[in-house]
Structure formats: C-alpha cells, structure tokens
Amino acid sequence: MINVGRVVNGRNSQPFIVYRKSGSWVAGRWVQTEEPIPLTGTITVAKEKDLQQVPEGDRVGGEISVHCTKALYATRAANDPITSTKPGTSDEVLWQGDRYRLFTLSPYMDYGYYKGVGIRKTSN
C-alpha cells in the first residue's frame, strides 16, 4: 500500500492546533476539559464532494478539509467500540485565526493519514 502520510506532511504541510474536548461527571455535573494538540498536516478549502447534504439544502459556509497523520475525532460516546476512546465532542481545528468543528471523518489509517471536514464556527 502507498503511505500517503508522507505527502500529507510534505512541503505543503503547515502547523495547526486541534482542540480536543472530553470530560467526566463530578458531583453530578458534567465537567468538560479542552486540550490543545499541536499538529502538522495539509488543510484546504473543502470541495463540493466533501460537503454534507442536509435536508434544508447544501451546507455551505467556510468548510475546510484537514489531512494529517494523527487521529481526528467527531463526537463519540463512552466505550465506543470503533474508536476505543473517552467520550467527547468533535475536535475543533484552529486555522488562520478561525475555529472549525469537524463534522465528517474518514480514517484512512491503512494509507497513513486521517481526513476530516470541518465547518467554521460562528463568532460570539
């Protein structure tokens, strides 16, 4: 198999930060924590085929496609047999001053990389 991870971290790669949220129940309340994880990879504007179709129409509004060699996560339940990770919400990517919440993931680990599509979060 071809290891695409070498291309993902090639000359066009750039640093970015992934914010991974998790949490636990403390005294009957959910306490969420956020961990910044510095990564390197390739980020591009999402293409038409990357975008999710939703009942109210195409989802358009600043989507990006993230390719990196480290695992990315969407919202996950406790003891998820697929991810074997702690419960948490979708990773958020900080890129060019904006945060993007990942909503679609493609784990191409057999080819050496992970792909996520994120939508820009609205500013408060």
Side-chain angles (χ1 to χ4, degrees):
M1 283 193 216
I2 297 173
N3 186 346
V4 181
R6 293 180 186 157
V7 176
V8 168
N9 282 332
R11 291 188 315 200
N12 294 325
S13 68
Q14 56 191 295
F16 59 93
I17 296 174
V18 168
Y19 289 94
R20 184 152 301 150
K21 297 178 183 182
S22 62
S24 60
W25 291 99
V26 176
R29 299 188 76 142
W30 181 255
V31 178
Q32 183 167 281
T33 58
E34 181 177 81
E35 175 187 1
I37 303 168
L39 295 177
T40 302
T42 305
I43 299 179
T44 61
V45 174
K47 296 179 180 154
E48 187 175 321
K49 68 178 184 175
D50 293 328
L51 301 180
Q52 178 183 20
Q53 295 287 319
V54 291
E56 61 271 10
D58 290 344
R59 181 180 289 196
V60 178
E63 291 84 3
I64 60 170
S65 180
V66 181
H67 301 81
C68 67
T69 57
K70 303 292 182 189
L72 299 170
Y73 297 105
T75 300
R76 56 211 178 273
N79 302 323
D80 185 337
I82 296 171
T83 61
S84 300
T85 61
K86 294 188 273 183
T89 57
S90 295
D91 286 348
E92 294 180 4
V93 175
L94 178 62
W95 182 63
Q96 294 188 352
D98 289 322
R99 273 180 112 159
Y100 297 81
R101 183 183 53 80
L102 298 180
F103 66 89
T104 300
L105 295 173
S106 301
Y108 296 121
M109 60 276 244
D110 289 344
Y111 301 101
Y113 74 105
Y114 295 81
K115 176 184 176 185
V117 178
I119 187 165
R120 185 175 26 224
K121 293 180 66 175
T122 56
S123 302
N124 293 335

